[in-house]
């Protein structure tokens, strides 16, 4: 691709790495988000919000001088010399990336091959790398996948190992995604705040028992997770694709909706919506927040399915931890004015205000929020 790419904001810092072992040759491809490179190297020279091929090529030497010392590939005890062999543009999950390609040739028989990745971690502790490694020396070309982060930087192909999905790391990434996905967390919180209260003509009143509150929470979390899982799978398997420029504002809008619904006084007119419907409907949108990136790994269906199961398990564990911290406290103070006026009303108003600012940022491509 020889054109230009827009600088899309408000997405997690995500890179892609793919290593292939073929005979004595190791090929490595690293795709780095243009917005991350622009932060480091000021690529957008004319400040027009787009990176052109010429602007990227003009800084190629500087980018390589930064990237090359932060990539290490070994075959057994032998450090392989990575040679740059190409530079290109590509889109991942509706975001422009620079593609850096390297090759290395082993002087000995290739055995266990490891890649250690250290790019951008010193600038952004939330940076993540969706990594895969293909061993083409075997019939059927086995694949290993993992999510790399500052604490887990190594991807390895073992000479005696079969394929793997890095399942445990996908579980951890699911937990990390829900705990650092502030829009997801605020949406969930907005849905949970009324779980220990009931609304009647006089306003909000406390629920009669913990069992009632627990049942409501279970319906909310289950509906949200089920919907999140559906769209995550559909997008990862490339059945449905929705551009990030539509998904991100829609996620912010869902948070506004859920929070504003808590500010209504008195009973809802007409037949009330089932408790699971709102978290399920908006959960379908939230599922696209991470989904596109998993599909970019290029995994075989079985490996991709394992990664999806691990990621969703992590999301569920992360949500359950949040619920375990929220529900006992909320139930204990549900009768207080502090909970009704402070946590429910004032909290919902604050959530709606923050989400409205997110929505403005994402619709108009602005940056003024610190998170």
């Amino acid at each position: 691709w020889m054109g230009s790419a827009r600088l899309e904001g408000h997405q997690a810092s995500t890179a892609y790495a793919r290593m292939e072992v073929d005979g004595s040759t190791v090929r490595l491809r690293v795709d780095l988000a243009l917005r991350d490179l622009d932060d480091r190297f000021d690529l957008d020279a004319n400040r027009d919000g787009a990176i052109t091929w010429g602007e990227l090529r003009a800084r190629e030497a500087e980018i390589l001088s930064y990237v090359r010392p932060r990539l290490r590939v070994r075959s057994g005890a032998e450090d392989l010399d990575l040679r740059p062999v190409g530079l290109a543009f590509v889109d991942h999950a509706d975001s422009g990336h620079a593609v850096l390609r390297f090759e290395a040739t082993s002087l000995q028989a290739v055995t266990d091959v490891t890649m250690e990745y250290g790019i951008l971690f010193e600038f952004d502790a939330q940076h993540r790398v969706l990594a895969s490694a293909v061993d083409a020396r075997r019939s059927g070309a086995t694949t290993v996948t993992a999510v790399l982060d500052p604490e887990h930087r190594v991807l390895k192909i073992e000479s005696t190992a079969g394929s793997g999905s890095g399942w445990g790391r996908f579980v951890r990434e699911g937990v990390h995604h829900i705990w650092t996905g502030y829009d997801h967390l605020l949406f969930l919180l907005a849905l949970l705040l009324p779980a220990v209260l009931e609304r009647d003509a006089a306003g909000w009143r406390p629920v009669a028992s913990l069992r009632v509150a627990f049942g409501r929470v279970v319906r909310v979390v289950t509906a949200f997770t089920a919907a999140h899982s559906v769209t995550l799978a559909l997008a990862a398997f490339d059945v449905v694709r929705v551009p990030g420029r539509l998904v991100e504002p829609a996620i912010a809008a869902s948070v506004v909706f859920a929070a504003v619904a808590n500010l209504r006084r008195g009973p809802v007119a007409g037949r009330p919506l089932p408790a699971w419907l709102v978290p399920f409907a908006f959960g379908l949108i939230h599922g696209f927040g991470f989904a596109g990136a998993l599909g970019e790994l290029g995994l075989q269906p079985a490996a991709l399915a394992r990664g999806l199961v691990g990621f969703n398990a992590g999301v569920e564990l992360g949500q359950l931890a949040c619920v375990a911290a929220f529900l006992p406290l909320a139930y204990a103070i549900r009768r207080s004015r502090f909970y009704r006026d402070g946590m429910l009303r004032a909290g919902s108003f604050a959530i709606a205000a923050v989400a409205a600012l997110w929505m403005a940022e994402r619709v108009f491509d602005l940056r003024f929020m610190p998170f």
Side-chain angles (χ1 to χ4, degrees), residues 17-30 73 80 82 101-105 110 113-115 131-138 141-144 155 157:
R18 181 176 176 85
M19 181 171 64
E20 180 180 346
V21 180
D22 189 0
S24 61
T25 300
V26 178
R27 300 182 182 89
L28 179 61
R29 167 178 167 167
V30 178
V73 175
L80 302 184
L82 289 173
R101 290 187 174 90
F102 302 88
E103 280 189 3
T105 302
V110 173
V113 180
T114 61
M115 177 197 71
S132 62
V134 178
D135 189 351
R137 296 171 298 173
R138 304 187 183 97
T142 58
T143 302
V144 178
L155 181 69
I157 297 179

Side-chain angles (χ1 to χ4, degrees), residues 37-283:
L37 293 177
D38 185 57
D39 288 342
R40 307 279 77 78
F41 300 101
D42 196 22
L43 301 181
D44 187 15
N46 60 5
R47 303 295 190 272
D48 65 350
I51 302 298
T52 66
W53 175 246
E55 287 172 331
L56 181 62
R57 285 297 301 269
R59 311 303 290 273
E60 180 179 4
E62 293 175 67
I63 294 171
L64 286 173
S65 68
Y66 166 74
V67 168
R68 178 60 191 86
R70 290 164 176 80
L71 290 174
R72 186 183 186 188
V73 175
R74 296 172 60 87
S75 171
E78 178 188 4
D79 273 307
L80 302 184
D81 181 26
L82 289 173
R83 305 180 303 275
V85 296
L87 176 69
F89 270 162
V90 72
D91 267 336
H92 288 294
D94 205 40
S95 178
H97 283 63
V99 179
L100 303 173
R101 290 187 174 90
F102 302 88
E103 280 189 3
T105 302
S106 176
L107 301 177
Q108 307 170 13
V110 173
T111 55
D112 295 349
V113 180
T114 61
M115 177 197 71
E116 183 174 352
Y117 179 103
I119 303 168
L120 296 175
F121 288 142
E122 72 268 37
F123 301 111
D124 186 357
Q126 305 304 321
H127 180 61
R128 294 294 183 269
V129 187
L130 298 179
S132 62
V134 178
D135 189 351
R137 296 171 298 173
R138 304 187 183 97
S139 60
T142 58
T143 302
V144 178
T145 64
V147 180
L148 307 184
D149 59 39
E151 285 73 45
H152 308 91
R153 302 184 177 209
V154 176
L155 181 69
K156 185 173 184 178
I157 297 179
E158 296 179 312
S159 57
T160 58
S163 61
S165 65
W167 193 82
R169 290 192 183 177
F170 279 107
V171 173
R172 286 194 294 271
E173 186 60 22
V175 174
H176 174 270
H177 176 62
I178 198 68
W179 283 359
T180 61
Y182 302 118
D183 44 9
H184 301 308
L185 279 179
L186 287 187
F187 177 73
L188 187 62
L189 179 60
L191 294 173
L192 292 177
L193 281 171
V196 295
L197 300 172
E198 293 178 330
R199 186 158 40 193
D200 58 22
W204 293 100
R205 58 183 178 82
V207 295
S209 68
L210 180 61
R211 185 169 66 88
V212 173
F214 181 75
R216 291 181 172 183
V217 168
V218 168
R219 288 192 291 273
V220 166
V221 172
T222 301
F224 181 65
T225 301
H228 190 283
S229 303
V230 168
T231 46
L232 175 58
L234 290 175
F237 284 103
D238 205 22
V239 177
V240 177
R241 279 192 176 264
V242 180
R245 63 181 178 273
L246 300 180
V247 171
E248 295 301 319
I251 289 175
S254 73
V255 181
V256 173
F257 180 92
V260 169
N262 294 340
L263 300 175
R264 292 175 55 92
R265 293 180 179 272
V268 178
R271 175 181 290 183
L273 295 175
W276 57 268
L277 185 58
V278 170
F280 184 85
F282 286 121

